[in-house]
Amino acid sequence: MADMGDGSRLYFKQLLAGLDLAEGDRVAEQMVNFVYLIGDRETGEAVVVDPAYDQQGILDILAADGMRLTGALATHYHADHVGGSLGGMAEITGIAELLALTDVPIHVQADEAEWVARGTGVTHDHLVAHTSGDHVMVGEIPITLIHTPGHTPGSQCFLV
């Protein structure tokens, strides 16, 4: 687990699925995906990037750090990032299970919204569709959403 514990306002953790969370989940171990936590230490607000595999574990890590989840960001619609069926081979928990635990907005690139809804069963009223250059605030920390098509038509990266 990478933690930016440098005393700055920015809260940042990189979690490896299958090791830092979702321990014992064979699919998580094989996929080698990261989940990121980004927040504002002063307000205690945080967002999660690609909350697949272990939603309660994500919330527990945030709570242990004195943070609370206020939103989720999706890089793209694939099941190993937002949940759903992994080509019929496995079911991965994701944003649907996160929403069952806490009602937060799910920020997606506009081109991905339909695919995220189809793949996860999450309704559009839980999704916030964005275009490149939009900002999501977590406390006083701005996150710029950058459309980076390639892996999927609506893939996006985040500039913190």
Side-chain angles (χ1 to χ4, degrees), residues 29-111:
E29 291 171 355
Q30 291 175 8
M31 295 302 290
V32 193
N33 288 102
F34 288 103
V35 172
Y36 298 93
L37 305 176
I38 305 166
D40 182 333
R41 291 181 192 279
E42 289 186 27
T43 66
E45 298 174 46
V47 295
V48 58
V49 176
D50 291 346
Y53 302 108
D54 184 3
Q55 296 69 46
Q56 187 61 58
I58 292 165
L59 295 174
D60 291 347
I61 290 167
L62 287 168
D65 290 343
M67 305 295 286
R68 71 184 180 290
L69 190 68
T70 59
L73 306 173
T75 57
H76 63 289
Y77 71 85
H78 288 161
D80 56 325
H81 295 266
V82 294
S85 176
L86 190 60
M89 310 258 309
E91 286 293 321
I92 299 174
T93 62
I95 60 173
E97 292 76 12
L98 182 67
L99 289 169
L101 297 171
T102 184
D103 188 18
V104 295
I106 311 296
H107 300 277
V108 300
Q109 207 283 329
D111 293 340

Side-chain angles (χ1 to χ4, degrees), residues 5 7-8 12-13 33 36 38 55 57 75 79 82 98 104-105 108-109 112 116 122 125 128-129 136 143 148:
S8 74
F12 178 83
K13 280 197 173 176
N33 288 102
Y36 298 93
I38 305 166
Q55 296 69 46
T75 57
V82 294
L98 182 67
V104 295
V108 300
Q109 207 283 329
E112 297 283 293
V116 169
V122 169
D125 59 322
V128 180
V136 170
I143 302 171
T148 53

